Amino acid sequence: MIDIELPPGDKWRLFELQALGFRDFAGVRSDAALDPFRLAKFASLLVVSFDQIKGISVEARAHLLGSGSEKWSGGACSHPLPDGRRIVILNPNHGRMRTNATLMEEISHVFLGHQPSKLKVMAENETGQTISRDYRKADEEAAYATGAAALVPFSALRRFVLEGLTSLQIAKHFHVSRELVEYRLKVTRLWGTYRAAHSTR
Ligand SMILES: [Zn+2]
C-alpha cells in the first residue's frame, strides 16, 4: 500500500482509517467520489423513496415536505424486513449532495456495528409519526464523522487544498455539499491552510 496520510488527532485518525476501509470495500479510487447508493446494499439497507411510503396522511406529508422539511434528513426504520434489510427513507427535498451525507451516515452506523439505543419520534405530528432508530451521542458523532471522511478523504482533500481548489470545487468533485467540505477542512485542521490560500483578493 502507498503511504496513507492521516489527519491530526487520535479520534480523527481512527475515523479516517475506518472511512478508508469503507472506500476500500467500495473499490473506489483514493481521490474519486464515493457513491453511497452503491454501498447501501452491502450494509443491507434498502433506500425507499418517500413517495413509496403508504399510510402517511395528506397533512403529515404536507408537513414533512413543507414547513417541517428542514427538521429531518432521513433515517433507517427500526424494524428489519424478513430478509434482514432495513429500510432507509431520505428527504426528497434535500437534493443529492445532502442526501449522500445522510445515507453515508446510515451506512456508517451499520458498518461500525452501532446498536440503536431506543426509538425516537422524528417528526412531530398527530397522524403519521415517523419512527427512526436513535443512537447514542458518541455513535452519532462517529457515524457522521466517518461517513463524511468516506465521502471526502483526507489525502485527496489535502492535495486539492494545496492545489488551490475552492471548497465549492472540491464539493462538486466529491458530490457533496460545500458545508460538508468545510466541516472536513475544519476537523482535519486544513482550515488554516485553506483560508491562507484563499484570503488574498
Ligand atoms: Zn445517525
Side-chain angles (χ1 to χ4, degrees):
M1 195 185 248
I2 34 169
D3 325 326
I4 313 169
E5 290 175 80
L6 296 172
D10 287 347
K11 184 169 85 170
W12 296 98
R13 281 171 198 272
L14 177 64
F15 292 155
E16 192 75 30
L17 281 170
Q18 284 166 328
L20 288 170
F22 298 176
R23 291 180 62 85
D24 204 35
F25 184 73
V28 61
R29 254 198 7 248
S30 63
D31 61 351
L34 171 70
D35 180 1
F37 284 81
R38 288 186 51 207
L39 205 50
K41 64 175 186 290
F42 297 108
S44 295
L45 294 174
L46 179 66
V47 181
V48 168
S49 100
F50 191 80
D51 296 328
Q52 287 173 269
I53 312 163
K54 303 272 185 281
I56 297 182
S57 69
V58 174
E59 294 77 16
R61 180 177 294 268
H63 173 74
L64 288 170
L65 297 182
S67 60
S69 188
E70 276 306 305
K71 301 239 169 64
W72 72 286
S73 50
C77 289
S78 50
H79 296 288
L81 297 168
D83 64 7
R85 286 183 300 172
R86 285 175 193 276
I87 290 176
V88 171
I89 299 154
L90 301 167
N91 189 324
N93 288 351
H94 284 186
R96 186 62 184 261
M97 299 208 168
R98 271 176 82 177
T99 296
N100 278 345
T102 305
L103 179 57
M104 198 57 230
E105 183 190 329
E106 292 303 325
I107 293 167
S108 293
H109 278 306
V110 174
F111 284 165
L112 297 175
H114 295 166
Q115 295 301 320
S117 55
K118 59 179 189 239
L119 289 176
K120 167 188 162 194
V121 178
M122 271 175 51
E124 302 158 85
N125 60 76
E126 316 77 7
T127 41
Q129 291 179 332
T130 306
I131 306 294
S132 87
R133 291 196 294 173
D134 194 20
Y135 295 92
R136 288 177 302 130
K137 219 171 170 191
D139 286 352
E140 283 305 337
E141 190 201 3
Y144 183 80
T146 309
L151 290 167
V152 183
F154 178 72
S155 282
L157 178 63
R158 185 170 167 276
R159 184 160 57 78
F160 290 150
V161 167
L162 296 176
E163 286 172 4
L165 268 64
T166 64
S167 55
L168 192 60
Q169 289 171 316
I170 299 170
K172 283 185 174 154
H173 173 83
F174 287 117
H175 307 157
V176 297
S177 70
R178 182 180 166 182
E179 288 71 25
L180 189 84
V181 170
E182 294 187 350
Y183 159 81
R184 285 288 293 153
L185 288 170
K186 287 169 187 166
V187 299
T188 61
R189 301 196 207 156
L190 287 170
W191 187 242
T193 312
Y194 177 77
R195 287 304 298 267
H198 296 278
S199 63
T200 48
R201 275 180 297 166

